[in-house]
């Protein structure tokens, strides 16, 4: 009987230590969520946007598709969103969505929903990647004068796109 009580006491003690260890650490930073269609909303951007479109175009390099879009400057590690902490105590989770009120796809998540892209940079190339973290299959997005034409994402990347990077 004594060994059973001792075992129960040890189990209770370990459970209590686990609970204190789990909740006894520093408080987690408060997080707010904002839905954005342009990462310039929280970055200092210059020229060089890559626009991801909800729809494809009939022929790559000819025109722009109907439907919604989102625009990005620079490297995006994960198209699901970005966490930014401004003061160490509060973090903002910027979730990337297609522009609201801009046709088909408006308000939907950008990650794994883009079908074509426009490279609007005059100086930078872009690559779109299958996986977050600039990994897996990728496609170079060429620049067309005046940002006037879209490139369809290939069969692997269409609606399976997770990150983008300056090429």
């Amino acid at each position: 009987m004594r060994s059973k009580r001792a075992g129960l006491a040890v189990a209770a003690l370990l459970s209590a230590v686990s609970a204190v260890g789990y909740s006894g650490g520093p408080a987690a930073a408060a997080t707010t969520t904002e839905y954005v269609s342009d990462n310039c909303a929280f970055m200092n951007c210059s020229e060089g946007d890559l626009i991801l479109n909800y729809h494809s175009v009939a022929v790559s390099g000819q025109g722009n598709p109907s439907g919604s879009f989102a625009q990005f400057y620079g490297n995006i590690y994960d198209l699901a969103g970005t966490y930014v902490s401004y003061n160490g105590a509060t973090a903002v989770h910027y979730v990337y969505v297609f522009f609201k009120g801009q046709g088909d796809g408006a308000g939907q998540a950008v990650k794994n929903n883009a079908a074509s892209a426009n490279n609007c940079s005059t100086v930078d190339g872009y690559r779109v990647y299958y996986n977050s973290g600039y990994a897996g299959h990728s496609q170079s997005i060429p620049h067309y004068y005046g940002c006037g034409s879209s490139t369809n994402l290939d069969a692997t990347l269409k609606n399976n796109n997770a990150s983008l990077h300056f090429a």
Side-chain angles (χ1 to χ4, degrees):
M1 183 79 158
R2 181 178 172 143
S3 65
K4 186 175 181 181
R5 281 188 190 162
L8 289 174
V10 168
L13 177 63
L14 289 175
S15 178
V17 168
S18 296
V20 170
Y22 179 75
S23 64
T31 302
T32 60
T33 301
E34 300 219 7
Y35 296 89
V36 296
S37 302
D38 184 342
N39 68 336
C40 287
F42 59 92
M43 289 182 60
N44 293 326
C45 296
S46 61
E47 66 180 78
D49 287 344
L50 180 77
I51 296 174
L52 293 178
N53 303 300
Y54 185 74
H55 286 301
S56 299
V57 288
V59 177
S60 280
Q62 294 183 2
N64 291 310
S66 63
S68 197
F69 62 94
Q71 54 191 27
F72 300 97
Y73 174 76
N75 303 329
I76 305 295
Y77 188 83
D78 187 351
L79 284 168
T82 300
Y83 284 91
V84 178
S85 180
Y86 294 104
N87 60 12
T90 302
V92 179
H93 182 209
Y94 291 101
V95 177
Y96 301 123
V97 297
F98 289 104
F99 273 105
K100 294 180 180 176
Q102 295 290 320
D104 294 345
Q108 289 189 33
V110 173
K111 185 173 184 175
N112 296 329
N113 279 315
S116 63
N118 296 57
N119 180 352
C120 297
S121 172
T122 58
V123 294
D124 295 310
Y126 276 99
R127 291 195 83 76
V128 174
Y129 291 84
Y130 184 83
N131 292 320
S132 298
Y134 325 118
H137 177 75
S138 68
Q139 179 181 351
S140 177
I141 308 300
H143 172 75
Y144 294 104
Y145 179 76
C147 191
S149 295
S150 294
T151 300
N152 288 328
L153 296 178
D154 65 30
T156 302
L157 291 173
K158 182 177 180 179
N159 299 322
N160 286 303
N161 42 297
S163 61
L164 57 96
H165 197 281
F166 283 136

